[in-house]
Amino acid sequence: MRQGAQGSADTGTPWAATAAAAAAESAQPVEPAGSARVPQQAGAVRGEHTHSEPPAPAVPVLPRARPVIQRSSVRGQILDALRAALVAGDLRPGEVYSAPVLGERFGVSATPVREAMQQLALEGAVEVVPNRGFRVVERGVRELAELAEVRALIEVPVMLRLARTVPAERWAEMRPLAEATVRAASTGCRATYAESDRGFHRAVLSLSGNEQLVQIAEDLHRRAQWPLVGGGPGVRGRADLVADAHEHTALLDALVARDLDVVRALVGEHFAGAGAGSA
């Protein structure tokens, strides 16, 4: 897809279909909890009482709370779709995209799109262009290599520590995630593989019990998946993705065997590939 601030996109793109349900959801009101009326006594309703019993006290009628529309899920769907579009190359580096035009493509107002784009700006994926929209940041090979180096500095020591301490049965639980990355890679869809790849790394690092580490590593991982300006080595084919995914299963085998030398080599090669444009 190629689109400027006033441009349009192919309506059949997968990332647009991903967020199509957001339009319908944004129109659904959320019924507030605890909004039912408190039942009243009959005497209080009619204002009647008898001489044999005191008047029943009036029961106050609770005001009905105003419904609150939950928009966070819509924004989240749009954000996921935009992230997928970045990885797939549908949002191209250097081009400017306006929130109203993207909103029309998603079938929602410009507001949730603008909010999602502002989140991407905080993450460094796009930059604000006043009165025009958002420009996708142009990245070069050097930035990709730097991200790979930082990821290795963080994750390699953690992987080696986990290899010494985590029992084999816990690594067996990771096997389906590793196999899922191979299936995702076989589709040839970079966005599909990128999500599965992050899921595997996130699950492995979660065994460290350090949530801050997991969040930082995933942010670096996501940034490493953004395309380079002009394509370059960041554009990888199906065979490259499948080879990258098989490194996950090989890594699990080494972790089960507690072979630290192989773990160190595999993780190093994995991130070296990331520096050359791998996921």
Side-chain angles (χ1 to χ4, degrees), residues 10-236:
D10 180 3
T11 57
T13 53
W15 63 275
T18 301
E25 184 174 342
S26 64
Q28 296 297 322
V30 178
E31 186 69 20
S35 61
R37 291 180 178 273
V38 177
Q40 298 178 341
Q41 299 178 4
V45 173
R46 296 191 302 269
E48 299 175 353
H49 64 276
T50 64
H51 295 288
S52 60
E53 61 182 21
V59 178
V61 178
L62 298 179
R64 187 177 183 86
R66 179 178 298 177
V68 177
I69 305 300
Q70 299 293 336
R71 299 179 57 255
S72 58
S73 60
V74 178
R75 172 185 172 277
Q77 291 179 54
I78 298 297
L79 180 59
D80 289 342
L82 290 173
R83 283 173 170 165
L86 278 170
V87 175
D90 293 326
L91 295 180
R92 304 177 67 85
E95 293 197 10
V96 177
Y97 298 88
S98 72
V101 171
L102 290 175
E104 290 180 4
R105 194 59 50 203
F106 288 133
V108 298
S109 70
T111 300
V113 176
R114 187 174 294 109
E115 292 173 348
M117 278 294 202
Q118 289 169 345
Q119 176 60 37
L120 290 178
L122 292 175
E123 296 174 4
V126 301
E127 56 187 9
V128 178
V129 181
N131 302 319
R132 292 186 61 194
F134 301 85
R135 177 185 291 113
V136 179
V137 172
E138 299 178 273
R139 305 185 318 129
V141 175
R142 178 174 178 176
E143 180 180 346
L144 198 62
E146 290 174 349
L147 286 169
E149 181 179 4
V150 176
R151 289 182 65 199
L153 289 172
I154 293 176
E155 294 192 38
V156 171
V158 176
M159 292 282 192
L160 294 175
R161 175 164 61 86
L162 294 177
R164 299 186 189 98
T165 58
V166 174
E169 55 268 22
R170 293 299 305 274
W171 295 124
E173 297 172 3
M174 302 292 164
R175 187 73 59 176
L177 292 175
E179 294 171 349
T181 66
V182 177
R183 291 193 299 271
S186 66
T187 68
C189 175
R190 283 176 287 161
T192 300
Y193 175 66
E195 182 176 357
S196 180
D197 183 32
R198 289 196 311 275
F200 172 79
H201 283 266
R202 181 171 57 250
V204 171
L205 293 177
S206 294
L207 295 177
S208 70
N210 189 329
E211 184 60 30
Q212 298 303 314
L213 181 147
V214 173
Q215 292 179 10
I216 292 172
E218 179 156 9
D219 177 65
L220 293 170
H221 195 168
R222 190 188 303 279
R223 291 169 60 189
Q225 293 172 332
W226 298 337
L228 301 179
V229 60
V235 177
R236 310 186 75 215

Side-chain angles (χ1 to χ4, degrees), residues 256-268:
V256 170
R258 295 193 173 183
D259 192 329
L260 302 187
D261 290 336
V262 174
V263 169
R264 183 184 292 105
L266 284 172
V267 177

